[in-house]
């Protein structure tokens, strides 16, 4: 597992208008069956492309081992997504990649925030929890349906030992029934 390349995100969010930045990612599982995975990541949404319909789960994993389930979160959320381009809105839940809030910073158009210069996000370094990675988006696709309650219950019992990368390695076996086709896409995010 340590030898395999890890997904990374390269985002140039100089302007919020840039919605389709290149996403460099690590993939595992049957990627040929499900498709390319992440196509864009912004503060409010995660875009991805599938070759065929699949059930999806989207989580954020921090280097210290915290797991936040972003989709599905409600019982009415349908995990089956169509083939082609798809979007999961993360604006209803506080996004882990929101612009930073600095107390005492000069006030801008947004109360309590400053206008950052340069890139908010940059590519993460390969499989190194100490590299300043803020967290990892993990998109898990499979042929098996999963409900919000099932995902929440399974994620609640996952071991937090070993940090983010070890947790990410345990997600697919935990969430996908044995014998089911699946693919996992991981994009590391660095906030600057």
């Amino acid at each position: 597992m340590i030898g395999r390349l890890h997904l990374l995100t390269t985002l140039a969010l100089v302007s919020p208008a840039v919605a389709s930045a290149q996403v460099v990612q690590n993939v595992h599982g049957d990627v040929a069956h499900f498709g390319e995975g992440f196509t864009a990541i912004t503060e409010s949404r995660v875009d991805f492309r599938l070759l065929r319909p699949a059930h999806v789960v989207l989580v954020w994993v921090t280097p210290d081992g915290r797991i936040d389930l972003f989709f599905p979160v409600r019982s009415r959320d349908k995990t089956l997504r169509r083939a082609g381009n798809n979007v999961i809105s993360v604006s209803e839940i506080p996004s882990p990649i929101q612009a930073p809030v600095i107390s005492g910073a000069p006030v801008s158009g947004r109360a309590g925030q400053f206008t950052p210069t340069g890139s908010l996000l940059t590519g993460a370094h390969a499989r190194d929890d100490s590299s300043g990675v803020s967290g990892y988006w993990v998109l898990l696709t499979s042929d098996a349906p999963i409900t919000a309650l099932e995902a929440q219950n399974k994620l609640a019992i996952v071991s937090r030992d070993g940090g983010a990368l070890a947790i990410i390695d345990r997600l697919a076996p935990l969430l996908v029934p044995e014998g089911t086709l699946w693919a996992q896409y991981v994009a590391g995010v660095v906030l600057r």
Side-chain angles (χ1 to χ4, degrees), residues 17-154:
V18 179
S20 60
Q22 176 186 1
V23 179
V24 180
Q25 56 190 330
N26 184 13
V27 296
H28 190 63
D30 197 347
V31 178
H33 182 76
F34 292 103
E36 75 180 84
F38 293 116
T39 56
I41 297 174
T42 67
E43 291 179 7
S44 61
R45 61 192 262 171
V46 173
D47 297 47
F48 58 97
R49 185 172 298 125
L50 299 172
L51 289 178
R52 63 191 73 246
H55 295 274
V56 301
V57 174
L58 179 67
V59 298
W60 173 258
V61 180
T62 62
D64 64 359
R66 190 182 83 232
I67 303 172
D68 294 322
L69 179 63
F70 273 75
F71 186 84
V73 291
R74 296 175 294 269
S75 61
R76 69 177 182 266
D77 288 342
K78 303 294 183 215
T79 59
L80 184 64
R81 293 299 174 115
R82 62 177 166 65
N85 294 325
N86 290 272
V87 174
I88 294 178
S89 172
V90 294
S91 60
E92 294 176 13
I93 301 168
S95 173
I97 58 173
Q98 290 176 346
V101 178
I102 307 293
S103 25
V107 177
S108 70
R110 296 181 283 178
Q113 295 188 353
F114 69 101
T115 304
T117 57
S119 296
L120 267 179
L121 305 172
T122 185
H125 302 287
R127 291 202 70 92
D128 182 3
D129 279 339
S130 65
S131 67
V133 174
S134 301
Y136 299 89
W137 280 116
V138 179
L139 178 69
L140 183 64
T141 60
S142 82
D143 285 338
I146 187 167
T147 67
L149 185 59
E150 289 171 331
Q152 291 164 1
N153 288 341
K154 289 179 178 184

Side-chain angles (χ1 to χ4, degrees), residues 7 10 12-14 35 37 46 54 63 65 69 77-78 82-83 94-95 105 108 123 146 157 164-165 167 170 177 190:
L7 310 197
T10 303
L13 290 180
V14 176
V46 173
L69 179 63
D77 288 342
K78 303 294 183 215
R82 62 177 166 65
S95 173
S108 70
I146 187 167
I157 62 169
L165 301 176
I167 291 169
R170 290 191 286 268
V190 176

